[in-house]
Amino acid sequence: VQLLESGGGLVQPGKSLRLSCEVSGSTFRNYGMNWVRQAPGKGLEWVSGISGSGVNTYYADSVRGRFTISRDNSKNTLYLQMNSLRAEDTALYYCAKDSWPSGRLYYFDYWGQGTLVTVSS
Amino acid sequence: QSVLTQPPSVTAAPGQRVTISCSGSTSNIETYSVSWYRHVPGTAPKLLICEDNKRPSGIPDRFSGSKSGTSATLGITGLQNGDEADYYCATWDSSLSAAVFGGGTKLTVL
């Protein structure tokens, strides 16, 4: 199983960015997917999760209302639409595959290498 | 402030045993299974323990997990220099309807 994130970059505060995570080697639709981030000098922070069907979504309080998680099971791809970005959203963003379809964490068995998002003017 | 509390750092000598605690509450650890991850910043985190105490394929038996009530523990025996990393516990929290990570524990082997 391989997870490959893309879409990171430098963006101004208040602007938007969309991250993608392409998954190979797994029956994508059978598993929940998540975004986890690590800000500079900080620990891992869960950002958002989505069920295998895409029906159920979950968000950390810090991003609810600004970020939207989605998936395209026909393309084996997970997305994170990030709006109204803030300096504190600066982090390395990882996608992580869960071991069951729910969207609520069971355990993350595979992770990507991450994509860096920098929010700065 | 993380919902799950871990010691910021632990230090032990090569060959020794170390334990890392993860303290939570009834809405998370007591109710849901705990997983543990090894992370070197800038690289992909790695699953060490799932379902409180199960080792995924390829994880040596030097690593163990346990849980009692609202606390979980990761144990590492036969410490090696290569074990130096940050270690995180994680679980689901029903009050937050969110996944939660501990603050992380930096393991130093010297």
Side-chain angles (χ1 to χ4, degrees):
Chain A
V1 178
Q2 291 189 317
L3 289 73
L4 183 62
E5 302 97 336
S6 61
L10 174 63
V11 61
Q12 294 179 329
K15 300 296 188 182
S16 299
L17 205 60
R18 189 177 84 155
L19 305 183
S20 300
C21 173
E22 186 171 353
V23 180
S24 58
S26 171
T27 307
F28 184 65
R29 65 180 178 275
N30 286 353
Y31 299 100
M33 294 294 298
N34 292 258
W35 289 98
V36 177
R37 68 186 180 184
Q38 184 176 39
K42 302 290 188 180
L44 297 177
E45 178 190 17
W46 175 82
V47 173
S48 182
I50 187 169
S51 60
S53 65
V55 169
N56 298 307
T57 58
Y58 306 89
Y59 297 94
D61 286 344
S62 58
V63 306
R64 185 175 290 112
R66 299 187 299 122
F67 290 10
T68 301
I69 192 171
S70 63
R71 61 192 295 160
D72 185 336
N73 286 345
S74 69
K75 295 182 179 179
N76 285 7
T77 303
L78 172 72
Y79 302 101
L80 185 68
Q81 177 67 42
M82 304 185 295
N83 298 333
S84 302
L85 281 162
R86 305 167 180 169
E88 53 263 37
D89 295 317
T90 294
L92 185 60
Y93 284 74
Y94 296 98
C95 67
K97 172 188 165 296
D98 208 324
S99 58
W100 74 336
S102 161
R104 292 177 290 121
L105 167 65
Y106 196 43
Y107 58 88
F108 300 142
D109 51 3
Y110 292 96
W111 297 67
Q113 293 294 323
T115 186
L116 182 62
V117 173
T118 303
V119 183
S120 175
S121 54
Chain B
Q1 198 80 358
S2 302
V3 171
L4 306 180
T5 301
Q6 297 181 232
S9 63
V10 293
T11 301
Q16 295 290 315
R17 176 179 184 267
V18 70
T19 60
I20 297 173
S21 61
C22 175
S23 178
S25 69
T26 55
S27 64
N28 44 64
I29 289 179
E30 188 169 68
T31 306
Y32 299 94
S33 67
V34 175
S35 50
W36 289 89
Y37 305 87
R38 176 184 184 275
H39 185 223
V40 175
T43 70
K46 182 174 184 176
L47 176 66
L48 291 176
I49 296 291
C50 59
E51 298 180 89
D52 299 335
N53 55 22
K54 294 181 172 56
R55 282 177 291 105
S57 174
I59 301 301
D61 60 6
R62 300 189 300 109
F63 296 90
S64 64
S66 64
K67 188 174 83 171
S68 178
T70 60
S71 293
T73 301
L74 173 70
I76 311 173
T77 60
L79 277 172
Q80 305 171 359
N81 289 333
D83 292 329
E84 289 200 336
D86 298 323
Y87 292 83
Y88 294 87
C89 57
T91 188
W92 184 256
D93 189 294
S94 57
S95 295
L96 299 174
S97 199
V100 289
F101 280 93
T105 299
K106 182 177 182 61
L107 171 62
T108 301
V109 181
L110 52 73

